[in-house]
Amino acid sequence: MLGLERRSDVPAWIYVAVPVIAVLLALAVGAVFLVFTGHDPLTVYRVMIQASFASTFGFADTLVSATPLILTGLAALVSFRVKLWNIGAEGQLYIGAVCASGIALLIGESLPGWANILMMLAAGAFGGMLFILIPAIARAWLRTNEIITTLLLNSVALLFINWLIFGSRSFWRDPAAGQFPQGLRIPDEAYFPRWGATRVHLGLVIALLAVVAIWFVLNRTRFGFRMKILGDSESAARYAGVPVRLMVVAVLLLSGALAGLAGAADVGGFSRRLDPNSLAIGMGYAGIIVAALSRLNPGSVILVAIMLGGVRNAGTALQSLPERVPMEIAVMLEGAILLFALGSEVLVRYRIHWPWSKGPALDASPEEAEAT
Amino acid sequence: MNETVLAMTLAAAVAAGTPLALAAIGELITERAGILNLGVEGMMLLGAVTTFLVSLATGSPWIGMAAGALAGAGLSAAHAFLTITLRANQIVSGLALVIFGTGLSTFLGRPVEGMPLPRESRLPRMNIQLLQDLPLLGRVLFQQDVVVYGTWVIAALTAFYLFRTRPGLSLRAVGESPATADVMGLRVNTIRYVHTLVGGLLGGGAGAYLMLARVPAWSQAATTNGIGFIAIALVVFASWRPWRALLGALIFGLALRANFALQAAGVTFIPAEFLAMTPYLLTILVLIALSFSDLRRRAGAPEALGVPYAREER
């Protein structure tokens, strides 16, 4: 077995090595499955890189894919920081989208566009908060496991948006749509402005502002300081007079609000209607990857989200290959990157004693240590 | 509702609860060792697609099922290595399994998406002599396929193993207090590895059963449909006890089937989507109810659940 020894200081190269190793190993695993299914991994990867990073428009689409990931990444980040596990960003994003599209349709053309957009963002954040409220209160007062409650609510939210668009004649559904039900378009004024001819939209600016805001809250406010104490030790926080229950609720609501904003950004900037097919692509779950890879550091969230956005964006480009590589290779790569990143994370915390290296490993039992 | 409809509904509920029970018992075993594996959904999906591909290639559902269970164990091995040897965060690692398993199974299953399994590679029904003629119960319990009975046996064996054998005692010790177990001379990491793998086998097996007996064709979205997540909740619901997990799975099986039964009975004013939400909402309600008062103390969560064990840092 491997022996692990806790590091006292972390050499700088490791912070670069971890993500690089993770991505390379994930690509290697992906290559195995690609060869296995009769595809040429080099061609696939070249097409993916070209599609996402090598042209202006390709990179713009990467940024579009990265926009919701930044927000859901922050959502996971704030809750993980205090060792609360909001796994429900997926569902909070859907409900955020429901509220944002609802308010945009309700306002219609009665308000100027900028006011409508502001209302959409507020509604999106509100929807996300609403959807995490019960798990948050149950966690704070009853210590009900928030992992399971938030996880299960994702399925509820998915069924709900499917019902709104496919299962009923709701306010959100386009009454003119015939055989293929779809959401009603929000008014033109409420479209998020786009950057030039690209599809990059206001949502990216909001996501970046959210990064700055979260950084500020975490590092420069009393709230952030209390989060830090709570994250280190709940009993210490209690002795220090931190209102633990209120903090738990507040942090989870903040997390839900960020996920809900991602839903609003999809409605306003991308699909322009409540569209279950555009929403239910795992942006909330991907946020957990983003948070984990960024090592809960708001600034790194941007870079990680762009990298993952590139992988996702490239998945679509693969469809254009003559041999039609299934785009799910992108989802698989995402999961593999996360697995390997978790694995290589060990380098940050521990020095490794390989089984074949000299000297007894630290956690070997006495007999084993004698034997070596 | 006449007796035939009732019997059919209950029989369907027993069958629908079976994959849930398998996955939940597997997760229960893993959690008893102190390892939380949220990746059940991923293991089930990969188990299902592997079963489909192997059954199709070999024509034997049994070889397919074995392959599916092994695929689940393969994914859980990754979780075990990351969380036990490398001491990674169990929650994030489990979710990584879900994402990886979903992506990989869809990727592998793309060429056969929507294709039905031929009749000979589906599970045969096995009626139990004499018992099958019992009124109502015979129809509900004893005209099922062999995996349904196998699941009851697995529940019984797991209960016996956990509470009546020495290795079962060791397992519970490792889940409650790994440091103490270590001092007692138990191999904490080995025990954790073994039971994480067993959980994976059962999770993959649950996916295999879904594929062979429950759903007509492979489709990523429709095969597991969130059952893996319900299985995790079911473990809490069952307070980490195998018989309760089996019973809970039957109740959830009923909730999953209530949809069809109500439609058959002409109840249409509740939309199908809302009926489909009930198992999830029910679970959340039960979890919250369980958190009230001292019920939780007796609920019996393994004390060290989710905590990595490092001998030199205890």
Side-chain angles (χ1 to χ4, degrees):
Chain A
M1 262 292 130
L2 298 174
L4 301 179
E5 180 190 342
R6 197 170 264 283
R7 281 184 191 279
S8 43
D9 54 338
V10 184
W13 60 267
I14 280 179
Y15 289 112
V16 187
V18 166
V20 172
I21 293 174
V23 172
L24 289 181
L25 288 176
L27 290 178
V29 166
V32 171
F33 285 107
L34 282 169
V35 171
F36 180 65
T37 49
H39 303 288
D40 175 22
L42 287 180
T43 320
V44 171
Y45 291 152
R46 205 187 57 236
V47 170
M48 288 179 79
I49 291 172
Q50 272 171 353
S52 285
F53 297 104
S55 72
T56 315
F57 278 90
F59 188 65
D61 278 350
T62 293
L63 290 179
V64 174
S65 302
T67 301
L69 300 187
I70 297 177
L71 288 165
T72 54
L74 287 177
L77 180 144
V78 290
S79 86
F80 290 7
R81 276 254 180 153
V82 289
K83 298 206 173 71
L84 291 169
W85 308 96
N86 172 18
I87 313 297
E90 189 76 22
Q92 292 139 24
L93 182 149
Y94 301 165
I95 302 301
V98 169
C99 292
S101 52
I103 206 93
L105 291 172
L106 209 57
I107 291 175
E109 284 156 19
S110 64
L111 284 180
W114 61 267
N116 201 338
I117 290 174
L118 278 182
M119 292 296 285
M120 281 172 74
L121 293 172
F126 172 78
M129 293 202 302
L130 191 71
F131 207 58
I132 201 178
L133 188 62
I134 289 175
I137 290 176
R139 173 65 177 75
W141 270 272
L142 302 169
R143 304 195 67 88
T144 307
N145 188 327
E146 77 284 6
I147 303 172
I148 297 176
T149 50
T150 53
L151 188 63
L152 292 178
L153 282 177
N154 290 339
S155 308
V156 174
L158 180 61
L159 286 164
F160 184 64
I161 56 171
N162 278 332
W163 175 72
L164 285 181
I165 300 300
F166 304 118
S168 68
R169 307 223 160 266
S170 74
F171 178 61
W172 281 263
R173 175 157 151 177
D174 186 351
Q179 235 181 332
F180 302 101
Q182 56 172 352
L184 190 57
R185 252 176 187 274
I186 60 172
D188 293 2
E189 292 86 4
Y191 287 5
F192 286 6
R194 286 184 172 178
W195 187 2
T198 71
R199 290 198 276 183
V200 176
H201 56 83
L202 180 70
L204 182 64
V205 180
I206 290 159
L208 295 176
L209 286 177
V211 170
V212 176
I214 293 297
W215 179 88
F216 184 82
V217 167
L218 290 176
N219 295 297
R220 291 286 182 274
T221 64
R222 188 172 72 160
F223 184 76
F225 183 65
R226 287 177 157 179
M227 278 177 69
K228 206 166 277 178
I229 304 177
L230 190 56
D232 282 342
S233 155
E234 192 183 315
S235 47
R238 191 163 288 126
Y239 290 129
V242 175
V244 172
R245 285 174 173 164
L246 289 179
M247 282 296 294
V248 166
V249 173
V251 169
L252 286 176
L253 288 182
L254 177 61
S255 175
L258 288 161
L261 271 180
D266 180 86
V267 171
F270 191 74
S271 47
R272 293 168 171 179
R273 51 164 63 96
L274 183 68
D275 179 3
N277 296 330
S278 153
L279 286 170
I281 54 169
M283 294 184 286
Y285 291 117
I288 294 160
I289 309 186
V290 173
L293 293 191
S294 71
R295 203 171 286 114
L296 305 190
N297 180 345
S300 320
V301 162
I302 302 172
L303 289 177
V304 177
I306 290 175
M307 182 191 77
L308 278 192
V311 173
R312 292 186 147 227
N313 179 31
T316 5
L318 289 177
Q319 297 292 12
S320 61
L321 276 180
E323 67 218 63
R324 296 187 59 79
V325 181
M327 62 185 293
E328 287 74 21
I329 186 80
V331 183
M332 194 200 97
L333 284 177
E334 240 175 61
I337 291 173
L338 179 56
L339 285 171
F340 285 115
L342 273 174
S344 4
E345 186 77 353
V346 73
L347 287 171
V348 176
R349 288 175 297 146
Y350 300 100
R351 290 176 57 175
I352 298 183
H353 292 268
W354 299 100
W356 55 84
S357 65
K358 292 196 183 94
L362 276 178
D363 64 351
S365 63
E367 309 90 285
E368 279 168 349
E370 263 170 32
T372 35
Chain B
M1 203 185 281
N2 62 37
E3 199 186 310
T4 328
V5 177
L6 180 66
M8 277 176 63
T9 307
L10 289 178
V14 169
T18 295
L20 204 50
L22 274 177
I25 293 172
E27 177 68 13
L28 183 151
I29 294 172
T30 304
E31 289 190 15
R32 279 282 182 175
I35 301 292
L36 176 66
N37 186 351
L38 292 184
V40 183
E41 182 84 1
M43 302 191 300
M44 284 179 74
L45 276 172
L46 192 62
V49 79
T50 310
T51 303
F52 186 95
L53 294 171
V54 174
S55 300
L56 201 63
T58 62
S60 155
W62 305 111
I63 301 179
M65 189 157 209
L70 283 178
L75 264 193
S76 73
H79 183 69
F81 180 69
L82 286 174
T83 58
I84 302 170
T85 302
L86 301 183
R87 298 169 205 164
N89 182 313
Q90 298 181 5
I91 295 165
V92 181
S93 168
L95 287 166
L97 288 197
V98 176
I99 296 167
F100 181 74
T102 310
L104 180 57
S105 57
T106 321
F107 175 71
L108 292 175
R110 179 61 82 203
V112 294
E113 177 113 28
M115 190 194 289
L117 265 184
R119 186 164 279 280
E120 65 273 16
S121 40
R122 318 213 74 170
L123 281 185
R125 201 171 275 279
M126 191 174 92
N127 298 348
I128 308 265
Q129 286 304 314
L130 295 177
L131 289 176
Q132 64 159 318
D133 299 327
L134 287 174
L136 191 61
L137 274 186
R139 186 85 191 267
V140 174
L141 294 178
F142 302 111
Q143 298 184 19
Q144 302 279 0
D145 55 62
V146 66
V147 177
V148 173
Y149 311 126
T151 305
W152 302 343
V153 174
I154 288 175
L157 286 178
T158 309
F160 181 78
Y161 173 74
L162 278 177
F163 302 112
R164 294 280 181 275
T165 69
R166 188 155 270 283
L169 181 65
S170 307
L171 166 64
R172 287 185 289 139
V174 164
E176 294 294 339
S177 171
T180 316
D182 195 6
V183 171
M184 281 161 58
L186 296 173
R187 295 186 159 271
V188 173
N189 284 359
T190 313
I191 289 173
R192 288 191 155 178
Y193 259 96
V194 169
H195 293 93
T196 308
L197 289 177
V198 171
L201 274 178
L202 289 175
Y209 176 69
L210 272 177
M211 195 70 254
L212 293 172
R214 303 292 312 152
V215 292
W218 162 255
S219 138
Q220 182 265 314
T223 305
T224 58
N225 223 339
I227 289 178
F229 293 130
I230 297 187
I232 296 167
L234 197 55
V235 178
V236 185
F237 181 87
S239 46
W240 290 267
R241 284 176 173 77
W243 283 116
R244 290 189 198 172
L246 186 63
L247 184 69
L250 294 182
I251 296 173
F252 277 96
L254 196 59
L256 289 171
R257 296 300 302 181
N259 225 336
F260 300 93
L262 285 176
Q263 270 166 6
V267 181
T268 47
F269 61 91
I270 311 173
E273 287 87 353
F274 283 82
L275 286 173
M277 283 177 198
T278 43
Y280 304 103
L281 295 175
L282 189 69
T283 313
I284 293 171
L285 279 180
V286 169
L287 283 185
I288 293 178
L290 278 178
S291 323
F292 275 106
S293 77
D294 65 333
L295 269 175
R296 202 176 166 275
R297 287 227 160 269
R298 289 181 280 131
E303 197 64 33
L305 183 60
V307 186
Y309 176 62
R311 175 183 274 177
E312 68 277 13
E313 289 167 16
R314 68 173 175 235

